[in-house]
Amino acid sequence: MPTVYITVPPAAADEIAETLVEERLAACVNSVSTTSTYRWEGEIHHDDEIVLLAKTTDDAYGELVDRVQTLHPHDVPCIERFDEADVLESFAQWRAESID
Amino acid sequence: MPTVYITVPPAAADEIAETLVEERLAACVNSVSTTSTYRWEGEIHHDDEIVLLAKTTDDAYGELVDRVQTLHPHDVPCIERFDEADVLESFAQWRAESID
Amino acid sequence: MPTVYITVPPAAADEIAETLVEERLAACVNSVSTTSTYRWEGEIHHDDEIVLLAKTTDDAYGELVDRVQTLHPHDVPCIERFDEADVLESFAQWRAESID
């Protein structure tokens, strides 16, 4: 089952997390505060951001990515999929039922 | 080597992290503050939680999962296993020695 | 593409994150506050640390690990590689261009 790693500006984080859960594209979303360090036009920048870790299913993954791209204020958002090697069976079942 | 991703209520986080290390089921545990967004009985909820990232070994993984289920206050906890693609050799060795 | 999971003492975190981006070994680094629980000489310790999540490429991974080992104040740092199962194409492209 995919965990989708998404970085978003703080002002957009709650809306994206709630929308994914509201529209049954994720069973739950863990939001974690982060500072992002990157280079832009030759300068090093530090931005406060939120990492969203969205717990979804194989079936819902594609639609979740499309929805995040629509809602995200940036043109090139960080959206990455990580698949777990194992998951507690009862949690996997709750997760699937929360989405389907 | 597995990193186990576990979400727990803040009041239970320290005890679970310490127990896993104390009982040599994890070499170390990184605790990260998070807000979890999920739906329960039709309503969107936001809970403060802690993500525990427990660094363990293949051999100890099953027992760690059993122990977390015993200690965790919820019936259906988020417990997921992620395997790294590579690890610094000296860290892997320290981790194995801390557990076995 | 690798995400490299590195734990560092807070005093060293900014320098390592900036150096990796400055030297084009990572496209961006997400820094997350954590408490690490581990056992040392029979005692349980809790240290404030930073988890660096460095977004890099297959080609730059080895050099990034070498650089972190040089900069890191500990002899046995936690450095682990996690490969995503999927990534947004435009983000992958930006990431590769930021490094090469």
Side-chain angles (χ1 to χ4, degrees):
Chain A
M1 289 183 145
T3 292
V4 192
Y5 184 115
I6 306 155
T7 54
V8 293
D14 285 354
E15 190 202 342
I16 294 176
E18 286 188 15
T19 301
L20 296 181
V21 172
E22 190 79 48
E23 297 183 1
R24 293 179 166 266
L25 297 172
C28 65
V29 178
N30 295 151
S31 305
V32 174
S33 294
T34 191
T35 302
S36 292
T37 302
Y38 60 98
R39 199 181 45 239
W40 187 256
E41 299 183 348
E43 298 279 317
I44 302 290
H45 291 258
H46 303 276
D47 287 356
D48 288 337
E49 290 198 296
I50 304 291
V51 178
L52 302 179
L53 296 155
K55 306 292 179 179
T56 189
T57 57
D58 288 343
D59 285 351
Y61 170 72
E63 200 180 334
L64 181 149
V65 171
D66 290 346
R67 199 68 180 100
V68 171
Q69 285 187 272
T70 310
L71 294 165
H72 201 291
H74 295 174
D75 288 337
V76 184
C78 170
I79 305 177
E80 295 181 283
R81 169 183 177 152
F82 292 91
D83 287 338
E84 86 276 43
D86 189 35
V87 58
L88 192 71
E89 184 52 36
S90 57
F91 179 72
Q93 196 176 326
W94 171 78
R95 191 158 151 180
E97 288 169 357
S98 299
I99 289 171
D100 296 330
Chain B
M1 288 184 144
T3 292
V4 193
Y5 184 116
I6 305 155
T7 53
V8 293
D14 285 354
E15 189 202 342
I16 294 177
E18 286 189 15
T19 301
L20 296 181
V21 173
E22 190 79 47
E23 299 182 359
R24 294 177 166 268
L25 297 172
C28 64
V29 177
N30 295 152
S31 305
V32 174
S33 295
T34 191
T35 303
S36 292
T37 302
Y38 61 99
R39 200 181 43 239
W40 188 257
E41 298 184 347
E43 299 279 317
I44 302 291
H45 291 257
H46 302 276
D47 288 356
D48 288 338
E49 290 198 295
I50 304 291
V51 178
L52 302 179
L53 296 156
K55 305 293 179 180
T56 188
T57 58
D58 289 343
D59 285 351
Y61 170 72
E63 200 180 333
L64 181 148
V65 171
D66 291 345
R67 199 68 179 99
V68 171
Q69 285 187 272
T70 310
L71 295 165
H72 201 291
H74 294 175
D75 289 338
V76 184
C78 170
I79 305 178
E80 295 180 283
R81 170 183 176 151
F82 292 91
D83 287 339
E84 85 276 43
D86 189 35
V87 57
L88 192 70
E89 183 52 35
S90 57
F91 178 72
Q93 194 175 329
W94 171 77
R95 190 160 152 179
E97 289 169 358
S98 299
I99 289 171
D100 296 329
Chain C
M1 289 183 144
T3 291
V4 193
Y5 184 115
I6 306 155
T7 53
V8 294
D14 285 355
E15 190 201 344
I16 294 176
E18 285 188 16
T19 301
L20 296 181
V21 173
E22 190 78 48
E23 297 182 0
R24 294 179 165 265
L25 297 171
C28 65
V29 178
N30 294 152
S31 305
V32 173
S33 295
T34 191
T35 303
S36 291
T37 302
Y38 61 98
R39 199 180 46 239
W40 187 257
E41 299 184 347
E43 299 278 317
I44 302 291
H45 291 257
H46 302 277
D47 288 356
D48 287 338
E49 291 198 296
I50 304 292
V51 178
L52 303 179
L53 296 156
K55 306 292 178 180
T56 188
T57 58
D58 289 344
D59 285 352
Y61 171 72
E63 201 180 332
L64 180 149
V65 171
D66 291 346
R67 199 70 180 97
V68 171
Q69 285 187 271
T70 310
L71 295 165
H72 202 291
H74 294 175
D75 288 338
V76 184
C78 169
I79 305 177
E80 295 180 282
R81 169 183 177 152
F82 292 92
D83 287 339
E84 85 277 41
D86 189 35
V87 59
L88 192 71
E89 184 52 36
S90 57
F91 179 72
Q93 195 176 327
W94 170 78
R95 192 160 152 179
E97 288 168 359
S98 298
I99 289 172
D100 296 329

